[in-house]
Amino acid sequence: MIASMSVKHDSDGWSLQFSDEAVWQTSFDYGVSIITEHIVLRVEKSFEVTISDRTVPIEPGSPSNASEVVALHQLALVSATIRPSGALRVNFSGGATLSVASSDDPWEAFTLDVDGGWKFVSMPGGGLTWWLPEGVDGDVVEFRFNN
C-alpha cells in the first residue's frame, strides 16, 4: 500500500494526517526518536505519552519511563498537530498520544522530518520554523510518498 500524508496550514498551525505509517523503531538516549518508513520525530525535551488513559512524563536521557516510549512501537502514526508556539501533539492508533509543550529552552524541543522535503522544527525559546518541498505553498496538500 502507498503511504500518504494530507497537510493543512492555517493560523492555528499545521495539521498532518498520515496513512500506513507504523512505528518501526523507537530510540531512547539524550533525546527520543520515533521512526516510521517516511517520518523521523526527534524530541529533545521533556514530553508526555498517554496510553490507555494513563499519562506518563518522559524525560529524555533518563531511562525511568523508556518502556512508555517503546510501547509506541508498531502503533500507526495517525496525525500530528504543530502549533506556531512550537507545541506538538502526535496521535497514534489505539488513542495513544505524544505531547510536547512549547519550549523556552535554548535548544530545539523537537524536529519532525518527513520524506519528500518536509521539516518542522520547534525553535529555541519557542516558536516554529519549517521547510517545504519545492513548489508547495503549504495551505492544503495531498502528498504520496515514493516507496
Side-chain angles (χ1 to χ4, degrees):
M1 190 167 240
I2 297 175
S4 64
M5 174 176 72
S6 174
V7 179
K8 180 183 175 193
H9 179 234
D10 59 27
S11 61
D12 290 331
W14 293 86
S15 175
L16 291 72
Q17 302 287 324
F18 305 102
S19 68
D20 302 314
E21 282 299 318
V23 175
W24 284 3
Q25 179 181 356
T26 57
S27 171
F28 198 92
D29 50 37
Y30 289 102
V32 172
S33 296
I34 296 172
I35 301 168
T36 73
E37 182 178 1
H38 300 102
I39 299 164
V40 175
L41 170 62
R42 176 83 175 162
V43 182
E44 296 184 345
K45 73 163 277 183
S46 58
F47 62 96
E48 294 181 338
V49 170
T50 301
I51 300 176
S52 301
D53 296 326
R54 182 173 164 255
T55 301
V56 177
I58 307 294
E59 187 65 43
S62 173
S64 61
N65 289 326
S67 63
E68 302 299 326
V69 175
V70 172
L72 299 174
H73 186 256
Q74 295 297 315
L75 295 181
L77 198 154
V78 175
S79 65
T81 304
I82 310 166
R83 300 287 178 215
S85 65
L88 170 69
R89 179 182 170 100
V90 179
N91 297 304
F92 297 87
S93 57
T97 63
L98 181 153
S99 299
V100 181
S102 59
S103 177
D104 59 1
D105 293 327
W107 60 86
E108 294 86 0
F110 71 85
T111 301
L112 179 64
D113 282 303
V114 182
D115 282 0
W118 304 83
K119 186 171 191 168
F120 302 89
V121 178
S122 176
M123 297 296 291
L128 180 70
T129 192
W130 59 86
W131 293 262
L132 305 177
E134 189 174 321
V136 172
D137 68 12
D139 289 332
V140 178
V141 175
E142 293 291 328
F143 183 81
R144 292 202 178 274
F145 300 110
N146 294 324
N147 290 333

